[in-house]
């Protein structure tokens, strides 16, 4: 048997169906891979060896009993540590939740379980999903498998790095301002942000409630679509969940035909500040889509330039309130409880010790933006900008089926390069943020390597609300055309990681 | 506890100042599940047994609005003549308190479900109109228990325990506009308003309105302005007053306290105040400024609430009749005079009477027990009449025994005394205290014979043509029987014996 960790989820599924391997074997292969390379990558915060093998054995037993299994049953997956998994440590990358084991499953997690997907463990992330580099994790940085001296993107750097290092064929991320797409882009993998409300937030430790969206991460478009289908759909436990059928994403990923599709290149997302190698690969991909029969036009979204400032008022405002529950009273870290300090003092000491610098920065920002006398000037204005951005999208989608741009302005930058320059760090999410503000669907697909540094470039596709299948149509078309050009997937060009035993 | 400044007597205070009031009443709804999750809402369960990730505010958990609570909110709004919002939202009220799981309360702020209403209360035969600013939905907090101190208060306690069973129970907060009524009526109007609300909420069947269990709590805002002035004074907010009587007392106390300070040239501090039932005073809580910053913003975890007009109208159709109309109808049905009905209303026993009469008790008898025996007992105990431990069912049971000739009124009063003291059911008390009327003719006959033998002079008077004198014999028999005899029966036996 060739290395099981190099297979896609679809291939693994076929191997299991034909009896050539078992879920236990596949799971063990990935656990071995994690043991071999994660010391260098640090994609995982917690590996649930026992739990994963037990889940795998259960799926194998069901298959042996002839049970009807879903297409991804028995395939292993890496879960971003921001989703509650019953009895398994869940920290959101923060010291304040060190060792906390949720007494319940997130809806996404229960759907993974129901589909027989094996959860290998929890992946590293920027603390409370605040960051664009996974350098803000309280548990150390994650390294980009393409170049270990570089960042894997953030906040879901752990999930994307796990895919790029072949530690898992599937992963779950969450996208608040680009935290699925941006790491997908810089690790050469696929990252999908479904329509807001298309996937349940129940059990997702909230960063910004009106922006957070769980989504699938994979190495291929079809794998992502299959995972999308498992986790998406109405959840009565999430009031913002949309009670509509899941868009036909798998069908779109299988077909991948862009003939006659109208594609809009967003004028405002490109040019100055964008790495030449990123722009070059992006334009080549657009040309490729034209050759495949798509009609490409330039579209203007004039209010996108205000998305970043609006986002950096709305996000911290909601976050400041969402993080108020971390008060040392009921769960997680407690510092200074010596019988003399009162509750407020204990809370203060705990937060001082438990929250990292970026979290504190955003709590301060959000608290200020919501405070009386400033609300209208900051939060209120930002909400107005949000409405303008929604209108930009609506106008654009009257002309075209999807919008496209580079996923990120640059490829993966060196670890440490931007830690002292929050604004430069924030700009990484320039292309992805408008989508979160509007709540529509978007994705990043690998589209080549930048000439300057040989690092992956992401192709960003945005679709209207509940038209998620269009992302997969474009992604699949691009993926097969590029595979033909390269004679394989982009990931096959990644350097081999040094394996330590 | 620090006792505050001296108070002015109320008449002196009202000669100089006009009180201005605002009342905020919190009502716990009687829904089966909590405001934002499926946890049960039963009162008195073991601490922290009625909780889940949602009402504990665990990371990742999300709220979902209880549709039944929205229905109750709309009914309350309609009953208070409010407009019902076509579209409204929840907001987050951010502040820290250990018994508040999320450290924000999911509430409504500038977009309440009901607003701009009015209602009426009757005090001493006068009708007063109360304007309602809004009624909004929110969730209750948990409960802190401070352990190790002498007073049970946080001061001096060694540690605190928190019970989250109450966290997330649906609340409706009903807020009045400024109430300006003649000062000598202010406290009575406040009491009458809360009492009226209680009756209304009971009739709507949206709350148990058990003030002793905290399911109806009143915050009273009181300020004073010099007579004839239109400038509002600084207000205080007396929190969590939980009986009708206490509402009246607390308002009166605040008027007299503030008047004493102002008369002495002092200033009123804007603050919350605690009401002390035992001493009848308020003490300072935390200082509260207008700028207290709750950083309200629309709750992003919940979609807006948009009740359809059809639904609202359908609910309007289910409303019980307005209290004033109902009062007129009942008076007629019960055959009470204006004065009798006013006593019933002012005594706060209309609903109790209704329920008692519904159990088959004659209106006059129901009125006799509630306004006589039970009102007196409540007054003596310094309690509200509905927290005495005697309900319509008990009154009906006692009256049934009277009707059956097993008790007379005097014995019935002893049964009520037993009920107030918690000695058991009426039947148990009758048995335990040996209160049953003696209906055994031979025992009565023996007592009559004894009385006739012992009072030859009385017998002589009766026989010489003064039948009224027989009363003394009847009295002697009743005394002999310790009151446990039917007086009419005794008279019959005496008369027969003496041949009258």
């Amino acid at each position: 048997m060739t290395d099981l960790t190099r297979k896609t989820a679809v291939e693994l599924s076929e191997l299991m169906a034909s009896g050539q391997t078992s879920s236990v074997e596949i799971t063990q292969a990935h656990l071995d891979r994690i043991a071999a390379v994660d010391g260098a990558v640090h994609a995982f915060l917690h590996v649930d060896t026992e739990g994963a093998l037990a889940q795998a054995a259960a799926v194998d037993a069901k298959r042996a009993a002839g049970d009807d299994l879903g297409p991804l049953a028995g395939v292993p997956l890496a879960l971003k540590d921001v989703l509650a998994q019953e009895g398994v440590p869940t920290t959101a990358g923060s010291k304040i939740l060190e060792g906390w084991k949720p007494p319940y499953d997130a809806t996404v997690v229960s759907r993974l379980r129901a589909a027989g997907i094996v959860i290998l463990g929890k992946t590293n992330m920027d603390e409370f999903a605040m960051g664009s580099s996974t350098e803000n994790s309280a548990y150390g940085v994650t390294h980009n498998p393409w170049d270990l001296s570089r960042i894997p993107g953030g906040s879901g750097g752990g999930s994307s790095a796990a895919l790029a290092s072949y530690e898992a064929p599937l992963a779950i991320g969450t996208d608040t301002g680009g935290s699925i797409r941006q790491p997908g882009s810089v690790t050469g993998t696929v990252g999908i942000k479904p329509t807001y409300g298309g996937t349940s937030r129940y059990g997702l430790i909230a960063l910004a409630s009106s922006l957070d969206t769980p989504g699938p991460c994979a190495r291929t478009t079809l794998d992502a679509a299959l995972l999308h289908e498992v986790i998406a759909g109405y959840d009565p436990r999430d009031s913002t969940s949309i009670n509509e059928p899941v868009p036909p994403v798998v069908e779109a990923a299988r077909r991948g035909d862009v003939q006659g599709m109208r594609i809009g290149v967003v004028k405002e997302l490109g040019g100055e500040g964008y790495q030449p190698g990123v722009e070059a690969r992006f334009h080549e991909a657009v040309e490729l889509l034209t050759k495949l029969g798509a009609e490409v036009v330039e579209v203007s979204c004039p209010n996108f330039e205000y998305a970043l400032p609006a986002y950096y008022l709305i996000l911290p405002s909601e976050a400041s309130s969402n993080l108020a529950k971390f008060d040392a009273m009921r769960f997680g870290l407690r510092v200074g409880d010596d019988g003399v300090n009162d509750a407020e003092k204990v809370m203060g000491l705990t937060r001082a010790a438990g929250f990292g610098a970026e979290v504190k920065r955003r709590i301060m920002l959000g608290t200020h933006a919501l405070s009386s006398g400033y609300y209208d000037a900051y939060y209120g204005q930002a909400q107005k900008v949000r409405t303008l951005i929604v209108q930009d999208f609506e106008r654009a989608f009257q002309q075209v089926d999807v919008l496209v741009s580079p996923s990120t302005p640059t490829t993966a930058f060196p670890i440490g390069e931007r830690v002292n320059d929050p604004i430069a760090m924030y700009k990484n999410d320039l292309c992805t943020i408008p989508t979160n503000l509007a709540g529509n669907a978007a994705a990043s697909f690998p589209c080549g390597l930048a000439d300057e540094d040989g690092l992956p470039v992401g192709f960003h596709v945005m679709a209207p609300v509940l038209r998620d299948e269009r992302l997969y149509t474009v992604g699949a078309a691009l993926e097969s055309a590029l595979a033909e050009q390269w004679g394989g997937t982009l990931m096959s060009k990644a350097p081999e990681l040094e394996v330590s035993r | 506890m620090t006792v505050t400044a001296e108070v002015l007597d109320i008449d002196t205070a009202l000669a100089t100042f006009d009180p201005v009031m605002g009342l905020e009443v919190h009502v716990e709804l009687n829904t089966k599940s909590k405001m934002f999750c499926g946890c049960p809402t039963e009162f008195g369960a073991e601490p922290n047994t009625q909780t889940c990730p949602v009402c504990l505010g665990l990371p990742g958990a999300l709220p979902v609005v209880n549709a039944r609570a929205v229905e109750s909110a709309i009914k309350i709004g309609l009953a208070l003549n409010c407009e019902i919002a076509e579209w409204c939202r929840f907001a987050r009220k951010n502040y820290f308190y250990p018994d508040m799981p999320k450290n924000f309360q999911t509430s409504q702020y500038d977009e309440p479900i009901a607003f701009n209403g009015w209602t009426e209360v009757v005090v001493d035969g006068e009708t007063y109109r109360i304007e309602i600013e809004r009624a909004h939905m929110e969730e209750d907090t948990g409960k802190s228990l401070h352990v190790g101190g002498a007073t049970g208060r946080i001061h001096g306690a060694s540690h605190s325990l928190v019970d989250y069973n109450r966290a997330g129970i649906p609340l409706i907060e009903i807020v009045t506009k400024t109430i300006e009524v003649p000062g000598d009526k202010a406290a009575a109007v406040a009491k009458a308003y809360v009492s009226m609300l209680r009756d209304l909420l009971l009739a709507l069947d949206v709350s148990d309105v058990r003030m002793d269990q905290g399911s109806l709590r009143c915050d009273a805002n009181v300020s004073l302005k010099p007579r004839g002035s239109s400038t509002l004074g600084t207000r205080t907010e007396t929190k969590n007053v939980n009986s009708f009587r206490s509402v009246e007392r607390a308002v009166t106390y605040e008027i007299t306290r503030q008047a004493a300070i102002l008369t002495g040239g002092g200033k009123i501090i804007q603050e919350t105040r605690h009401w002390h039932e035992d001493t009848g005073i308020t003490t300072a809580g935390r200082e509260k400024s207008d700028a207290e910053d709750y950083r309200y913003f629309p709750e992003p975890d919940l979609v807006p609430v948009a009740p359809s007009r059809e639904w609202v109208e359908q609910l309007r159709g289910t409303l019980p009749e307005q209290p004033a109309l109902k009062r007129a109808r009942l008076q007629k049905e019960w055959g009470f005079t204006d004065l009798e009905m006013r006593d019933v209303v002012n005594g706060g026993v209309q609903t109790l009477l209704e329920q008692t009469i519904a159990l088959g008790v004659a209106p006059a008898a129901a009125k006799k027990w509630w306004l006589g025996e039970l009102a007196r007992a409540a007054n003596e105990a310094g309690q509200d009449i509905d927290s005495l431990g005697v309900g319509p069912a008990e009154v009906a049971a006692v009256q049934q025994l009277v009707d059956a000739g097993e008790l007379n009124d005097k014995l019935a009063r002893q049964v009520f005394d037993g009920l107030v003291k918690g000695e058991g059911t009426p039947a148990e008390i009758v048995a335990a205290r040996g209160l049953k009327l003696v209906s055994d003719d031979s025992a009565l006959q023996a007592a009559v014979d004894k009385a006739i033998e012992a009072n030859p002079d009385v017998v002589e008077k009766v026989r010489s043509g003064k039948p009224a004198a027989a009363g003394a014999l009847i009295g002697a028999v009743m005394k002999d029987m310790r009151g446990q005899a039917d007086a009419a029966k005794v008279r019959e036996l005496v008369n027969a014996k003496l041949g009258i």
Side-chain angles (χ1 to χ4, degrees), chain B residues 444 447-463 466-481 487 490-491 493-495 497-498 500:
Chain B
L444 285 178
V448 168
D449 291 347
K450 202 171 129 195
I452 287 172
E453 202 174 314
N455 297 285
D457 48 331
V458 178
V459 174
E460 186 50 42
K461 270 187 193 167
V462 175
R463 289 204 167 129
K466 286 180 182 158
L473 294 173
I474 296 164
V477 172
M478 293 300 284
K479 195 176 169 196
D480 194 26
M481 302 298 297
V490 171
R491 177 178 297 276
L493 290 174
V494 167
N495 287 353
K497 188 83 186 176
L498 297 180
I500 306 171

Side-chain angles (χ1 to χ4, degrees), chain A residues 104 201 203 321-322 324 327 330 372, chain B residues 59-60 92 94 101 103 293 301:
Chain A
Y104 74 109
R201 289 185 297 116
S321 173
N322 282 332
D327 61 3
R330 295 166 306 278
S372 79
Chain B
R92 290 190 185 175
N94 292 285
N103 285 329
D293 201 345
D301 281 331

Side-chain angles (χ1 to χ4, degrees), chain A residues 325 327-332 334, chain B residues 56-57 98 100-103 164:
Chain A
K325 67 179 57 155
D327 61 3
M329 292 295 138
R330 295 166 306 278
F331 50 81
R334 180 180 286 187
Chain B
L56 287 177
M100 201 168 56
K102 298 170 290 190
N103 285 329
Y164 292 104

Side-chain angles (χ1 to χ4, degrees), chain A residues 199-344:
Chain A
T199 46
S200 170
R201 289 185 297 116
Y202 188 82
L204 159 61
I205 299 173
L207 169 54
S209 307
S210 74
L211 305 166
D212 297 343
T213 314
C217 309
R219 287 192 296 264
T220 71
T221 305
L222 182 56
D223 280 4
L226 288 165
L227 184 54
H228 188 134
E229 203 167 58
V230 167
I231 63 169
Y234 177 61
D235 178 11
R237 289 195 293 184
D238 175 358
S239 162
T240 59
S241 172
I242 302 173
N243 194 357
E244 294 282 340
V246 177
V249 292
V250 174
E251 192 194 321
R254 289 196 197 279
R255 209 175 54 234
D257 180 7
V258 293
Q259 181 75 43
M261 201 173 197
R262 290 177 63 87
I263 293 176
V265 176
V266 182
K267 194 173 92 183
E268 285 78 9
L269 301 179
E272 202 188 326
Y274 285 71
Q275 192 177 318
V278 167
E279 289 233 301
R281 291 298 91 79
F282 169 69
H283 289 298
E284 284 166 21
V286 170
E287 266 170 51
L288 199 54
L289 289 168
T290 316
K291 277 185 201 147
L292 293 170
E295 190 186 332
V296 176
V297 291
E298 195 182 68
V299 171
S300 175
C301 294
N303 294 297
F304 279 18
E305 67 170 298
Y306 309 114
L308 197 65
Y311 176 83
Y312 277 102
L313 288 169
I314 291 168
L315 176 136
S317 295
E318 292 185 12
S320 70
S321 173
N322 282 332
L323 295 181
K325 67 179 57 155
F326 298 93
D327 61 3
M329 292 295 138
R330 295 166 306 278
F331 50 81
L333 188 69
R334 180 180 286 187
V335 176
D337 183 13
D338 58 0
V340 178
N341 290 327
D342 65 12
E344 278 188 60

